[in-house]
Every structure is written in structure tokens, then in C-alpha cells.
């Protein structure tokens, strides 16, 4: 008989988590950077007590909103290129369900996070307990079943010994580059407190290493043959390039073969913006430099990308009917999309093997030169729209220009929803890999501030700049207080255009009336005039409303000396966005309407849809 130790299930869980390690730059560190917790019934007595016991090895952080704390955990994993991650625990019922949106966010972005929501009593004796939703037809259903479709692995722990195989599976998923995503272990309240004789070996320290699968020989040969036949090859760099930390291999491959590169939202900063072969943003929010190549490309090497509609222009962007897509991806589900030639592998390994096999081969010089010309043209366009202005209501692009001039390329820039993602994708000049942190897989309003906090925890020595609209700010801002409490400085630039500007523009573009997006177009007795600076200051931030673009630049310059979260608010124009670059996006317009504008928009929509392809 192996030696055992008598612990509660929650004590076993937290002790196990505190023993999981990884190696970063040759140094052994805990793989869990900590655990976010909001206690209530369903976790305070069980997990709460157990976390207290390991508080030095596995730090517990308190937040103000469960969704936000999970955002912080997810951003931490992203900023760590999935090498380290965090857990998040909640009480039962509303606390647990507040994390479901965040679970979906992690699921879409393929980011590891361990959810530990409290659950009802497994013994069912006190039922129905406070916050329990009763199912008339299914005695096993609880609200935590909502996590199932948004978890890569879900388990409900109804006996203390079940935590052993569950944690084993959890670690497999969290550290697997292909399956990576959220894991939910739903922890019945009574079971958290129940004791069991756990084998001591379960708590032995374990060091996890990143798996880097190499390509299959046949798939590699097919990809090499396709590339050798290419006259107009193009790389799309997705988030997988960053997760694999494959920037060096990408640069070598691109330079060696003279292949231009464009980047998705998730993949931006794979190469620095000023890299000669980096055409930067592709797709609906793409640069003209990238999109003109995408239209013509005959071989598209899509690396670490899900090929979502913003990248493919709803499958209308890649117009070369004879094209071949090669899907270099660690996950077969993504590698074979749109009948791509799959090249299932880690991005760095795959690129290194492609480069070796293609040694001596180069794309036609005319194609590479053509890319360089396009880049010069785009840079001139971008400089125009980001230039300074005295306008009372500057555009988002002009604010981006100010932030870039004041902060340079050495900061980590974070954003998620509203008009900013499109503008930043085109216009932000990214520096080092990971310095552009976009949550545009799920584009969750309210990710930004908590996401900034998690990023700062991962990169405490860096300036983290969060750009956010008034709508996103109002949806979820409370972790400003947490950032102040933890002494983790964020620089938050808030663009107040008094409403949901980008959706208002989308509404107009689809023939709609100005309705229910901008505050002025929404049912009201009093038009709100929100003092965002006062609001942020009330949570302990240094906050200021700036009067102009020049004022913003000055305030940003000054803010570099602050060691506390700083919020700078600027009024902006809700109606303007950058025309240059971009591509059509499929948003279904009503087929019949009493509005002439809708009928006209539908006509235009039907024409645009002719450009779409399905599965070629
Ligand atoms: C949680 C969530 N709800 C709704 C949306 C849909 N949506 C996308 S952008 C947007 C408006 C964002 O407003 P704001 O942050 O002020 O940015 P702006 O559009 O004005 O630039 C909405 C409602 C979303 N992405 N996320
Ligand atoms: Mg707005």
C-alpha cells in the first residue's frame, strides 16, 4: 500500500495545483500563477479554507466580478503564450454563471484556464439550496451544465476520489497545444469538505513541458510541392504563431523564400510592424497592402489561424480560383478548413521543416517587390489618418496616432470590442511578439480592463495600455479598483463617443435607421452625460479628461511616471472610421422591408455575396 494522507477534496485539489510546475527560460516556476476567487456558499468553507493553507505557493486574488476575474486569468495565459495560466473559483448559481461568458471567450481563443465553480450538494439532502435552479425532469442537471459546451473538458465532482482522474485530465487539456482551452471542474459543496485518504504520490511535484509536434512526412511533402509551384505565395500568421513563439522561424521562412506575411487580429505582432515583408492586418479590417495580395495569392500558407470571417472577408477575399490553402496548425480541426492541405504541426516546428525543405526556392521577385510597393502606399495612407488634429471630436484613428506617438512600440496594447479593434488592427504599429493583445475571437465587451490586469500580472515590468470605448467601459470596469489595490498599473485610454458607435455605423451600412445604439438615438428622458474621469477616480485611479489630441499626448507622457492605474478620457466622433484598406463583411441584410434604405442595402448585399466561395 502506498502512503496516504487524509485531506478534504478541496485541500487535495489546491495542494495538487500548487505542485504543478513548468520551466520558463530554464527556470522552474509554478504553472499556475494564482487563483482568482469570489467566495460565497459553495466555495468559501471548502475551497476557501483549502486556499488559505496554500496561500504562499498558490496566491489567491480577490476581484469584484466573476466574469472579469476570469478575463484576468485568460489574459494572463495569453500574455504568457499559454506557458502559464490561472484558475478561477466562484460560489454556486450566479457567481458560477457569471464565468460562463469568460469560459466561451477562452474556448474561442484556445486559451487555458481552470474554472472551479461551486455546485449543489451531491447528497441532495438540503435541496433546494440557496441559488439552486431545480430541473423538473433531470435530477442531475445544475446551472453549471452551462459550462459544458464552452469547456474543452467538463467534470462534476460528486465523490472526493474523483478529483484524482479529473485533475489528471485537466492538466492534459490545459497543457495540450491542440486541445488547449477552458477546463471546468464543477465542485459539489459537500464533496469539497469531505475527507479521503489520498495517495501521497498524487502531490509529487510535476514539471510540464510544452509539446511541439513535428509534421507528418506526407503532409510536409504535399505542402512543399504546393509552395514550390507557387507564383504568388502568401502567409497568414494567426494567433498560433504567437502561442508557439514561432516569430523567429516565421521571419526566417519569409525572408528565405521571399514570401510576404499578413496577420490576423490574433496573430498581429508575429513580426514587428516595420518588418519589410510584414503586410500587417489582413481581411475585413486589413491594410490595402495585405488585402491586394490576398486577392491574388495562389498558395496561402495559413499558420495557426481559425480562418474566421474577419480574416477571410467572409470567404470573399481570396479571389484566385486556382488557389491552394495550406493549413499549418497544431489542431487538425483548423488545419483542414476549407479543404486546405493539412500540415498538422506546431507552428515553429512546421515552419522550420518547411524552410529546410524549400532551401534555395524563392517566390518570384516581382511578387515580393510588388508587396514592398503596396506596403509603402499603405504606410502613407495610415500616416494621413493618424496624424494629429485640432478637431473637437477626433476619430479613433487620430487617438491611436496620439497613443502611438506618446507610447511608442515598446508597450503592450490591449483591446477587445467596439470600433477600436478594426482601427487598431490596421493602424497600430506593433513591436515585440505579444505586444498587440487583441481579444477578437469572441470580441467580448468588458474584457479590456480585467484583461489588462491579467496581462500586467504576466508582464509586471511592462507598460500595459488598454484602449476602450465608453460602451465597453460601462459594461465592466470594476477591476480598476483591483488594479489599484494590487498596485498593478494600467494606462487606460477611454474613447467616449457617447454610445455604441461601431454598431451604429453597421446599422447605417445595412440600411437601418439610427436606433438604440448612440445614447441620443435611444429612448431617454435625460441624455446621459457621464463623467468617466470622476467614475474612475472614485475607484482610486488617477483620472483626467483631456481636451484634445495634443492634450492626450501630454497626459500620456506625464502618466509614464505614475505608478497607479491612470485613466485618460477623450471625446471622439462616433461617425468616422478609416475608409482606407478593409474588405466586405457578410452581415445579413433583411430581404424585405418598408425602408427604401434597407432594400438598397439588400441589393448591394446580394451583389457582394456573389464574391463568396464555399469550400474551394
Ligand atoms: C458582451 C458584448 N455585448 C455586445 C456586443 C456587440 N457589440 C460589439 S461592439 C458594441 C459597441 C461597443 O461600444 P463602445 O465600447 O462604446 O465602442 P464603439 O463602438 O463606440 O467604438 C457592441 C454592442 C459585444 N461584442 N460584446
Ligand atoms: Mg462608444
Amino acid at each position: 500500500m502506498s502512503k496516504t494522507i487524509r485531506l478534504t477534496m478541496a485541500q487535495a485539489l489546491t495542494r495538487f495545483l500548487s505542485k504543478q510546475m513548468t520551466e520558463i527560460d530554464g527556470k522552474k516556476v509554478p504553472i499556475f500563477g494564482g487563483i482568482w476567487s469570489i467566495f460565497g456558499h459553495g466555495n468559501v468553507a471548502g475551497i476557501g479554507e483549502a486556499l488559505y493553507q496554500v496561500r504562499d505557493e498558490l496566491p489567491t486574488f480577490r476581484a469584484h466580478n466573476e466574469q472579469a476575474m476570469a478575463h484576468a486569468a485568460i489574459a494572463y495565459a495569453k500574455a504568457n503564450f499559454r506557458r502559464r495560466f490561472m484558475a478561477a473559483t466562484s460560489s454556486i448559481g450566479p457567481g458560477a454563471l457569471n464565468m460562463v461568458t469568460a469560459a466561451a471567450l477562452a474556448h474561442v481563443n484556445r486559451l487555458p484556464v481552470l474554472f472551479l465553480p461551486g455546485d449543489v450538494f451531491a447528497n441532495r439532502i438540503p435541496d433546494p439550496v440557496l441559488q439552486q435552479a431545480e430541473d423538473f425532469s433531470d435530477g442531475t442537471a445544475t446551472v453549471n451544465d452551462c459550462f459544458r459546451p464552452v469547456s474543452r473538458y467538463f467534470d462534476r465532482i460528486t465523490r472526493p476520489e474523483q478529483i484524482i482522474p479529473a485533475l489528471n485530465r485537466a492538466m492534459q487539456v490545459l497543457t495540450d497545444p491542440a486541445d488547449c482551452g477552458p477546463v471546468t471542474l464543477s465542485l459539489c459543496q459537500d464533496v469539497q469538505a469531505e475527507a479521503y485518504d489520498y495517495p501521497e504520490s498524487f502531490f509529487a511535484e510535476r514539471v510540464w513541458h510544452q509539446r511541439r509536434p513535428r509534421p507528418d512526412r506526407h503532409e510536409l511533402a504535399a505542402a512543399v510541392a504546393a509552395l514550390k509551384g507557387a507564383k504568388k505565395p502568401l502567409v497568414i500568421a494567426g494567433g498560433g504563431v504567437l502561442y508557439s513563439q514561432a516569430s523567429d522561424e516565421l521571419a526566417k521562412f519569409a525572408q528565405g523564400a521571399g514570401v510576404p506575411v499578413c496577420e490576423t487580429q490574433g496573430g498581429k505582432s508575429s513580426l514587428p510592424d516595420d518588418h519589410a515583408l510584414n503586410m500587417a492586418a489582413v481581411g475585413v479590417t486589413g491594410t490595402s497592402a495585405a488585402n491586394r495580395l490576398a486577392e491574388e495569392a495562389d498558395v496561402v500558407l495559413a499558420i495557426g489561424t481559425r480562418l474566421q470571417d474577419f480574416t477571410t472577408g467572409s470567404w470573399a477575399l481570396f479571389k484566385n480560383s486556382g488557389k491552394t490553402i495550406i493549413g499549418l496548425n497544431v489542431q487538425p480541426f483548423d488545419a483542414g478548413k476549407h479543404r486546405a492541405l493539412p500540415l498538422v504541426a506546431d507552428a515553429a516546428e512546421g515552419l522550420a521543416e518547411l524552410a529546410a525543405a524549400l532551401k534555395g526556392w524563392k517566390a518570384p521577385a516581382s511578387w515580393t517587390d510588388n508587396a514592398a510597393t503596396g506596403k509603402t502606399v499603405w504606410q502613407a495612407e495610415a500616416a494621413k489618418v493618424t496624424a494629429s488634429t485640432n478637431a473637437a471630436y477626433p476619430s479613433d484613428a487620430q487617438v491611436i496616432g496620439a497613443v502611438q506617438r506618446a507610447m511608442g512600440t515598446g508597450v503592450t496594447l490591449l483591446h477587445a470590442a467596439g470600433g477600436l479593434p478594426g482601427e487598431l488592427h490596421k493602424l497600430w504599429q506593433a513591436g515585440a511578439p505579444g505586444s498587440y493583445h487583441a481579444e477578437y475571437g469572441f470580441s467580448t465587451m468588458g474584457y479590456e480592463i480585467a484583461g489588462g490586469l491579467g496581462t500586467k500580472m504576466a508582464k509586471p515590468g511592462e507598460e500595459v495600455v488598454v484602449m476602450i470605448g465608453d460602451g465597453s467601459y460601462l459594461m465592466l470596469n470594476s477591476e480598476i479598483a483591483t488594479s489599484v489595490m494590487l498596485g498593478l498599473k494600467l494606462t487606460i485610454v477611454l474613447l467616449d463617443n457617447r454610445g455604441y458607435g461601431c454598431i451604429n455605423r453597421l446599422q447605417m451600412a445595412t440600411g437601418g435607421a439610427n436606433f438604440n445604439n448612440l445614447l441620443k438615438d435611444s429612448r431617454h428622458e435625460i441624455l446621459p452625460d457621464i463623467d468617466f474621469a470622476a467614475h474612475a477616480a472614485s475607484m482610486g485611479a488617477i483620472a483626467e479628461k483631456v481636451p484634445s489630441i495634443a492634450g492626450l499626448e501630454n497626459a500620456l507622457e506625464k502618466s509614464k511616471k505614475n505608478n497607479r492605474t491612470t485613466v485618460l478620457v477623450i471625446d471622439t466622433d462616433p461617425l468616422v472610421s478609416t475608409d482606407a484598406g478593409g474588405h466586405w463583411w457578410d452581415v445579413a441584410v433583411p430581404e424585405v422591408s418598408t425602408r427604401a434604405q434597407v432594400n438598397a442595402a439588400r441589393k448591394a448585399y446580394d451583389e457582394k455575396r456573389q464574391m463568396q466561395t464555399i469550400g474551394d
Side-chain angles (χ1 to χ4, degrees), residues 76 114 136 145 147 160 165 181 197 209 253-254 289 304 418 425 435 451 455 471 562 571 584 587 610 614-615:
Y76 178 87
L114 178 60
F136 297 163
D145 288 298
F147 281 94
D197 294 310
H209 295 281
F253 170 84
H425 192 210
S435 64
T455 303
N562 297 350
D571 279 336
W584 175 75
V587 175
Q610 303 300 317
I614 176 158

Side-chain angles (χ1 to χ4, degrees), residues 358-373:
L358 286 167
K359 213 170 165 53
W361 176 82
K362 257 194 158 354
S366 56
W367 174 247
T368 318
D369 296 345
N370 176 20
T373 313

